[in-house]
Amino acid sequence: MTFESESRQRARRRRASGALVDFDGKRLSVARRLRRMQRTALAAQTSVTAAAITQYERGGRPTNTVAAELALALGVPIEFFRQGRPLTAVTTGDAHFRSLRATPAISRDQALAFAEIALAVIEVIEQYVDLPQITDIIEPVDDEPSPALIASIAADTRSRLGVEPGPVPHVVRLLESHGIIALRLPPEIDPRVDAFSTEAGHRPLVLLSPLKDDRARSRFDAAHELGHLVMRQDVEPGSKIIETHAHQFAAEFLAPTPELEPDLPRKVDWDALLQAKTKWGISLAALAYRC
């Protein structure tokens, strides 16, 4: 009688179960990244190695037994791994994160995986619902646009989006009415990710942090991401330069200087600042800076 090791016995049982012929490795990658799991961590919860998981994500086909193990470890039904609507890949280079250095790579991957799922769901919804057409708002700029140019672009964008003089009533609803998808990141996403945006799919996508209950900060975040969508720059996403430009855009978009200036006090006056905060929907810190 030939002795057979336990690992060989497991391998023989896996092969006997047959391969999952319509397996989609990209979906395995998305499920793993959504759980913030490295391949080594996932392998530790299954009977295969991290190298095997890498092969599956690149196009290899696991057996039905292994696919069931992976599904159980990741908390998804095995049907999730089956081929269907292609998923749009969203890479770090496709997204505008506030600070690449302050956000761990595994957390960025988790947020990007959520964006990929969101884009797939939106495509399905569009089969049944007519979403608003995408308004052309793009105004590419060079690497060093002046504050005056950014203010002018913000004013042009307000005009293109049909914003009347005065405060923007509801930033997210405004974006959505012009074909931009705005979603809240789920609470399990690392809060260090903050808001970000991408144009990797067929519709611009803005992802907002669920941890900011402050209305003024949420409005500013949405306007900031709008700035990225408008001002396409040949600069690495996440750089301080491009983030500063998006901040300047958001400030002018929400409260154009010529309209805001009459509401700003000439000396420290907290009552006046609070009135301006209520009217314009921007934070006291932003108003103090504008002063």
Side-chain angles (χ1 to χ4, degrees), residues 191-244:
R192 287 174 291 183
V193 170
D194 213 324
F196 71 98
S197 57
T198 180
E199 293 181 88
H202 68 293
R203 280 184 179 273
L205 180 63
V206 171
L207 287 306
L208 300 173
S209 171
L211 303 180
K212 294 182 179 179
D213 294 330
D214 186 274
R215 174 173 173 266
R217 291 191 64 184
S218 293
R219 284 166 55 83
F220 193 89
D221 282 350
H224 175 102
E225 298 308 324
L226 175 62
H228 284 310
L229 297 177
V230 172
M231 300 184 298
R232 290 183 176 176
Q233 295 174 264
D234 190 18
V235 180
E236 179 184 357
S239 71
K240 289 185 177 180
I241 295 174
I242 197 171
E243 291 303 310
T244 298

Side-chain angles (χ1 to χ4, degrees), residues 66-124:
V66 170
E69 291 179 11
L70 294 169
L72 181 62
L74 294 171
V76 297
I78 194 170
E79 289 77 11
F80 182 85
F81 298 140
R82 297 186 183 277
Q83 293 177 359
R85 181 177 296 276
L87 297 179
T88 299
V90 183
T91 67
T92 300
D94 296 323
H96 292 284
F97 288 101
R98 295 291 175 87
S99 177
L100 293 179
R101 293 181 180 179
T103 310
I106 193 170
S107 298
R108 294 198 304 269
D109 281 346
Q110 182 188 33
L112 292 172
F114 178 80
E116 292 172 10
I117 292 292
L119 289 172
V121 171
I122 292 163
E123 286 185 13
V124 173

Side-chain angles (χ1 to χ4, degrees), residues 149-281:
L149 176 59
I150 293 175
S152 175
I153 292 174
D156 290 344
T157 304
R158 283 173 65 100
S159 177
R160 291 181 185 183
L161 298 184
V163 179
E164 300 290 337
V168 181
H170 198 296
V171 181
V172 169
R173 288 178 187 169
L174 177 68
L175 300 185
E176 291 177 335
S177 68
H178 290 274
I180 299 170
I181 303 297
L183 300 172
R184 290 281 178 188
L185 290 165
E188 58 267 22
I189 299 292
D190 190 334
R192 287 174 291 183
V193 170
D194 213 324
F196 71 98
S197 57
T198 180
E199 293 181 88
H202 68 293
R203 280 184 179 273
L205 180 63
V206 171
L207 287 306
L208 300 173
S209 171
L211 303 180
K212 294 182 179 179
D213 294 330
D214 186 274
R215 174 173 173 266
R217 291 191 64 184
S218 293
R219 284 166 55 83
F220 193 89
D221 282 350
H224 175 102
E225 298 308 324
L226 175 62
H228 284 310
L229 297 177
V230 172
M231 300 184 298
R232 290 183 176 176
Q233 295 174 264
D234 190 18
V235 180
E236 179 184 357
S239 71
K240 289 185 177 180
I241 295 174
I242 197 171
E243 291 303 310
T244 298
H245 296 161
H247 268 57
Q248 294 171 349
F249 174 94
E252 289 292 338
F253 180 82
L254 293 174
T257 296
E259 298 181 44
L260 175 66
E261 204 167 24
D263 294 330
L264 295 179
R266 299 301 180 216
K267 59 182 180 180
V268 178
D269 185 337
W270 293 111
D271 289 336
L273 287 173
L274 284 171
Q275 289 177 9
K277 170 183 167 67
T278 301
K279 175 181 177 180
W280 291 97

